[in-house]
Amino acid sequence: MKHSLSIILLVVCFTLNCSTALGQQPQKRNSSPDVERLGRALEYFSSGKYHECMLILSDLDEHYELNSRFRAFLGICYYYEWEYEKACSYLDEVLPLLQGVAPQERSFYYFANGESHFNLQQYEQAITQYQEQLKLCHPDEKGDAYYRLGFCYMFLNEWALALEHFEQSLSFYQQYLNNEENKARITQIQKMIKGCKKRLIKRENH
């Protein structure tokens, strides 16, 4: 899925005040070095250095209480580091608190959380995340969300729902992403649709 991380980063950089992102602990004031470290973490994220960003944010989160958006950012770092349990732990907690955040940013958080649950084989939880993503994402991103949902329902042996979502995925791919780059994906979706139909026919005959 081709979410624009640069857009998300611009939103974060221009709307978050690093000095207020660190929660105050009793008798402890936010120090300038820690504020600078928080800014450095954003720089690491923007350059794709998610591990370095994660190390800084996780350390700051232990000493302060990062605000919800920076905790979401930390969840994204864990997602990119394939630490899916930690990614889910953070994103599950903070996503309900981010209702005022820009839709495209929230869409990416739901996608990453869905992917994390999916990789943990927690398909019901993944379904919830992808469904929330669909409410927020651009039309050219819906095909991939429906594609993931198709697999979730398939692994849950919900073949009718899997078929429905693969067909939705194919529709969005053909409408918005019908190019050489996505030719293999479209072919795969078509094969999944045929496979679901065969399963349903076989079930009806038994």
Side-chain angles (χ1 to χ4, degrees):
M1 184 175 190
K2 294 185 177 179
H3 283 275
S4 176
L5 292 180
S6 60
I7 292 176
I8 294 171
L9 191 60
L10 283 173
V11 170
V12 173
C13 288
F14 285 108
T15 62
L16 289 182
N17 184 329
C18 289
S19 63
T20 61
L22 303 176
Q24 293 286 98
Q25 287 191 346
Q27 298 181 344
K28 183 172 182 178
R29 300 180 63 184
N30 297 335
S31 66
S32 179
D34 285 340
V35 172
E36 291 175 0
R37 290 177 68 207
L38 199 59
R40 194 182 316 130
L42 292 180
E43 292 177 4
Y44 281 138
F45 190 95
S46 67
S47 58
K49 297 180 179 179
Y50 306 113
H51 183 73
E52 291 84 349
C53 179
M54 178 191 71
L55 292 177
I56 294 175
L57 291 183
S58 60
D59 181 65
L60 290 174
D61 198 40
E62 288 183 5
H63 293 85
Y64 303 89
E65 185 176 352
L66 292 176
N67 69 29
S68 297
R69 290 181 75 184
F70 273 97
R71 288 172 65 81
F73 227 48
L74 180 54
I76 295 300
C77 288
Y78 282 125
Y79 161 68
Y80 277 117
E81 286 293 299
W82 305 324
E83 295 192 36
Y84 299 122
E85 288 187 3
K86 289 184 178 179
C88 291
S89 176
Y90 274 91
L91 293 171
D92 284 342
E93 177 186 348
V94 302
L95 272 170
L97 307 175
L98 298 176
Q99 297 302 311
V101 172
Q104 186 66 7
E105 183 181 347
R106 288 171 57 213
S107 171
F108 178 73
Y109 294 151
Y110 280 117
F111 166 76
N113 203 20
E115 291 287 274
S116 297
H117 281 294
F118 185 92
N119 281 291
L120 293 171
Q121 299 182 6
Q122 298 171 348
Y123 302 119
E124 292 182 353
Q125 293 94 322
I127 286 170
T128 299
Q129 302 304 309
Y130 293 131
Q131 288 175 337
E132 290 299 318
Q133 176 203 339
L134 280 169
K135 300 175 184 178
L136 302 166
C137 67
H138 294 316
D140 62 353
E141 296 169 337
K142 291 181 183 290
D144 202 48
Y146 280 116
Y147 177 76
R148 298 295 202 276
L149 282 165
F151 276 102
C152 287
Y153 285 116
M154 185 184 76
F155 290 135
L156 292 171
N157 292 314
E158 299 282 353
W159 294 100
L161 287 171
L163 173 60
E164 176 185 336
H165 286 83
F166 281 130
E167 288 178 335
Q168 287 273 33
S169 176
L170 180 62
S171 175
F172 277 96
Y173 262 94
Q174 290 178 331
Q175 185 174 358
Y176 295 100
L177 299 168
N178 196 359
N179 50 46
E180 190 64 27
E181 181 181 355
N182 293 296
K183 185 176 180 180
R185 172 58 60 86
I186 290 173
T187 299
Q188 184 181 15
I189 296 171
Q190 292 170 332
K191 290 180 179 179
M192 299 310 299
I193 290 172
K194 290 180 181 179
C196 288
K197 289 180 177 179
K198 288 181 180 179
R199 282 278 186 167
L200 289 170
I201 291 172
K202 185 177 180 180
R203 179 176 293 177
E204 289 175 359
N205 293 334
H206 281 78

